[in-house]
Amino acid sequence: MNPPADLAVVGAGPAGLAAAVTAADQGLSVTLLDAGERPGGQFHRHAAGEAHPDTRHGRRHYAPRARRLEEHRRTGRVRHLPAHHVWTVVPHPGPGGAAWTLHAVAGPDETPATVHARAVLLATGAYERQLPFPGWTLPGVLGAGGAQALLKSGPVLPGRRVVVAGSGPLLLAVAGSLAAAGVRVPAVVEAADYTAYARALPVLVRNPAKLTEGALHGGALLRHATRLLTRHAVTAAHGTTRVEAVTVTRLDRDWRPVPGTSRRVPCDVLAVGHGLVPQLELATGLGCATRRTPDDTPALVVDADQATTVPGVWAAGETAGVGGADLALTEGEIAADAIAHALCGTPRDPRRTAALTRRRARLRAFADAMAAAHRPGPGWTGWLDDTTEVCRCEEVTAGRVREAVTEYGAHDTRTVKLLTRAGMGWCQGRMCGQAVARLAGEPPAPDRRPLSCPVPLGHLAALHTGTGPADPTAPTTPTDLTNGGTP
Amino acid sequence: MTPYRFTFDGTPLTAVPGQTLAAALWAAGITSWRTTRHQRAPRGAFCFIGTCHDCLATVNGRPNQRACLLPVRPGDTVTTQEGTGHEPTRQATGRNTIQEGPGHEPAR
């Protein structure tokens, strides 16, 4: 068994990577666990077969930290465990001051792995918020972030003619990347209205880099003859075995489709996403408190040091509230400094702390303004007909959910789930949770899932009998417990 | 780098080393490699980050593998996954529909 690390970092995206190298710089022993094969997370994606991610951001932010990670790995200060999916973190006092045990499933063969640490930093990132619409289960409809992932790490062009739709700044970045790669992007369909940003003018002025970024994206779209349709939504996707066209409809202020404004746009792929949702199950499993961000999304409560409400557990990046890579890096560094101070008494440089704190406040204010501007309006449920599948895994329609609410009196997600099985499938409500909550008439609740990813039953059995990590040579059952009990 | 060879439903395909199964299939123009449990509807990759589980495939006889996370390995045999992946396939049973267990019925 490896000796306990001072710090276990979960997630090697911008926040986790920054935190791991900063903590190691200060002398801490760090174990960095990440679901990905290579560090960088969803933001710094590597193309298959390439040594380094080829992005503008990559060169500036990623390369120096990846180099430091490599140096720390060579000296043994950082233990990097790629392809490790952490499925739970439990308090577990042990030798060497260990306070936490992290359980992971490693590699394609799903071998069990256990890490002990004195402190934990959760940098588990986010996934895309999806609002259902008729046809969204057709092959060829994919997440906007998914299209970016396919393009960056595939590296594969998702299609020849790709409509990008949903809400949030990611859409412009995705459309820009696709167009630059030679994909025809006939339209970016944005449900919000950019005039909403005008309400946050002082915040915009303090973030000129963000404005420049927006202008660059806008310019790129103009060059590629992509139309930006604000206050519009894709309200249906059409096709038989895969998407062939989409219906684009104008929305009112509340995202309600305006009758008589629909038009059909041919495409072979639809890339769609409505912003990001923090991935919280490890944290909520530990009892960390959550708050609600301006787009009604649950995120972790953290203090000035990025500490969660559970002593010994810190959080950085999207886990603490979606805000982009620059904010994630800043939060990762603040957390690492605080952890080194808390664990080893490493003195903090007040000027550095003040600068990081100012930077965080400025970027957080921008993130909040953005979240408010793209907050889904209540009227989007108007584009769901009763046959629209809301829960992709269990194939539960909007009609069944509405019936549960109106006929059986279900007024919360949990009751709807029990009555219809919505959210009980493989993804455990990650795709439909927001939609089901809205249809049930309540704001989306923080994730509460005992396991954060599928786990072979043998691993759980080994824990229960106290035999420690399961024998990796034993046959594992590929059944998982996260699908609500269905085999 | 030499491309990896693998098969999908018996068709030989190639993958760039390090490429995920979903990306390799998508590159070959294949956007669907699973059918759903109830409607038998075609599905493929949706989120591409391992969250939605829509991209499940049967790889070397093992069902429910997330194709968007799984790097292709040389010689992999990939087949379309039907239903839960644990049921006998249509070909094997000679039936048009697959019997669902009681756990699949909605609780109403």
Side-chain angles (χ1 to χ4, degrees):
Chain A
M1 193 179 81
N2 282 285
D6 290 323
L7 173 65
V9 176
V10 185
L17 185 58
V21 296
T22 305
D25 287 348
Q26 306 202 23
L28 268 61
S29 66
V30 179
T31 300
L32 174 62
L33 302 103
D34 186 46
E37 297 282 326
R38 287 188 282 183
Q42 304 301 337
F43 188 73
H44 301 298
R45 279 187 163 268
H46 304 252
E50 302 285 325
H52 290 291
D54 181 26
T55 66
R56 265 173 305 177
H57 318 288
R59 279 194 284 275
R60 191 156 58 92
H61 290 311
Y62 174 80
R65 289 182 176 86
R67 261 198 307 278
R68 274 155 72 198
L69 178 70
E70 196 44 52
E71 284 160 20
H72 286 307
R73 205 154 42 178
R74 266 203 300 275
T75 62
R77 192 164 283 167
V78 173
R79 201 170 137 232
H80 176 215
L81 302 176
H84 275 60
H85 300 252
V86 176
W87 54 269
T88 195
V89 180
V90 288
H92 186 201
W100 305 100
T101 300
L102 295 85
H103 295 282
V105 174
D109 296 323
E110 302 188 316
T111 50
T114 311
V115 165
H116 302 279
R118 295 171 65 199
V120 174
L121 181 114
L122 299 172
T124 45
Y127 53 88
E128 269 185 307
R129 168 169 32 222
Q130 295 294 348
L131 303 180
F133 51 87
W136 75 307
T137 54
L138 270 176
V141 177
L142 75 166
Q148 185 87 318
L150 186 59
L151 184 67
K152 278 193 194 175
S153 61
V156 175
L157 297 184
R160 281 191 293 273
R161 196 177 152 87
V162 181
V163 170
V164 178
S167 193
L170 181 67
L171 300 186
L172 298 179
V174 171
S177 308
L178 288 170
V183 173
R184 171 96 178 90
V185 182
V188 173
V189 184
E190 163 64 60
D193 191 334
Y194 283 103
T195 55
Y197 282 91
R199 285 197 289 270
L201 262 181
V203 176
L204 298 190
V205 170
R206 284 169 56 220
N207 284 277
K210 295 283 182 189
L211 289 183
T212 312
E213 205 180 314
L216 284 174
H217 286 316
L221 295 186
L222 277 179
R223 272 199 310 284
H224 292 105
T226 294
R227 293 190 63 187
L228 173 61
L229 296 166
T230 57
R231 208 175 276 177
H232 278 74
V234 165
T235 51
H238 312 282
T240 45
T241 55
R242 62 169 295 169
V243 62
E244 290 156 17
V246 293
T247 294
V248 175
T249 308
R250 193 146 64 78
L251 302 179
D252 70 11
R253 223 167 251 290
D254 290 329
W255 292 31
R256 210 168 284 119
V258 177
T261 61
S262 295
R263 72 186 102 155
R264 211 176 157 102
V265 180
C267 61
D268 59 357
V269 163
L270 169 66
V272 62
H274 295 83
L276 301 177
V277 186
Q279 180 128 351
L280 301 179
E281 48 271 272
L282 290 177
T284 51
L286 283 166
C288 300
T290 59
R291 65 187 176 96
R292 213 165 269 291
T293 60
D295 64 345
D296 234 1
T297 309
L300 292 184
V301 171
V302 290
D303 69 7
D305 287 340
Q306 297 295 129
T308 71
T309 53
V310 172
V313 179
W314 279 261
E318 314 291 47
T319 328
V322 170
D326 287 347
L327 179 58
L329 291 169
T330 309
E331 292 182 352
E333 294 188 359
I334 291 172
D337 287 355
I339 294 165
H341 181 71
L343 292 189
C344 307
T346 312
R348 300 175 74 171
D349 174 354
R351 280 175 59 191
R352 172 181 151 87
T353 304
L356 284 171
T357 304
R358 269 198 309 275
R359 187 173 163 74
R360 178 180 56 188
R362 175 169 60 75
L363 291 167
R364 176 61 67 199
F366 185 81
D368 285 348
M370 213 155 62
H374 295 280
R375 173 196 170 109
W380 68 264
T381 53
W383 66 60
L384 300 176
D385 64 41
D386 275 353
T387 64
T388 309
E389 276 175 22
V390 171
C391 169
R392 299 172 69 94
C393 303
E394 294 291 320
E395 300 167 81
V396 180
T397 60
R400 294 253 318 278
V401 174
R402 284 171 175 151
E403 182 189 44
V405 173
T406 55
E407 301 294 314
Y408 305 132
H411 294 301
D412 61 276
T413 316
R414 186 180 151 74
T415 310
V416 170
K417 173 171 143 175
L418 292 173
L419 288 167
T420 66
R421 293 192 60 81
M424 280 172 108
W426 276 300
C427 89
Q428 285 288 283
R430 288 174 178 88
M431 292 297 115
C432 68
Q434 301 261 333
V436 173
R438 277 293 156 222
L439 290 173
E442 66 171 6
D447 300 332
R448 294 216 184 278
R449 304 180 183 99
L451 312 174
S452 77
C453 67
V455 183
L457 287 172
H459 298 203
L460 298 176
L463 289 180
H464 183 67
T465 56
T467 54
D471 174 6
T473 59
T476 54
T477 315
T479 304
D480 68 75
L481 280 188
T482 63
N483 66 356
T486 47
Chain B
M1 267 186 285
T2 325
Y4 292 167
R5 289 167 185 282
F6 72 104
T7 63
F8 171 69
D9 286 344
T11 306
L13 296 172
T14 56
V16 179
Q19 199 169 36
T20 62
L21 176 54
L25 289 171
W26 204 282
I30 299 163
T31 50
S32 167
W33 51 86
R34 178 170 91 81
T35 61
T36 59
R37 295 211 309 269
H38 301 296
Q39 305 296 323
R40 300 288 153 190
R43 294 280 176 86
F46 177 63
C47 79
F48 270 99
I49 65 166
T51 303
C52 76
H53 290 65
D54 248 329
C55 66
L56 298 176
T58 300
V59 181
N60 302 323
R62 241 176 123 185
N64 293 323
Q65 302 302 299
R66 280 179 282 176
C68 75
L69 296 182
L70 193 71
V72 175
R73 289 190 284 189
D76 276 344
T77 303
V78 182
T79 48
T80 293
Q81 170 166 331
E82 301 199 31
T84 64
H86 292 293
E87 305 155 1
T89 62
R90 263 177 279 200
Q91 290 87 339
T93 60
R95 282 185 284 116
N96 285 329
T97 53
I98 292 168
Q99 201 178 339
E100 302 279 358
H104 300 127
E105 292 306 313
R108 47 174 230 175

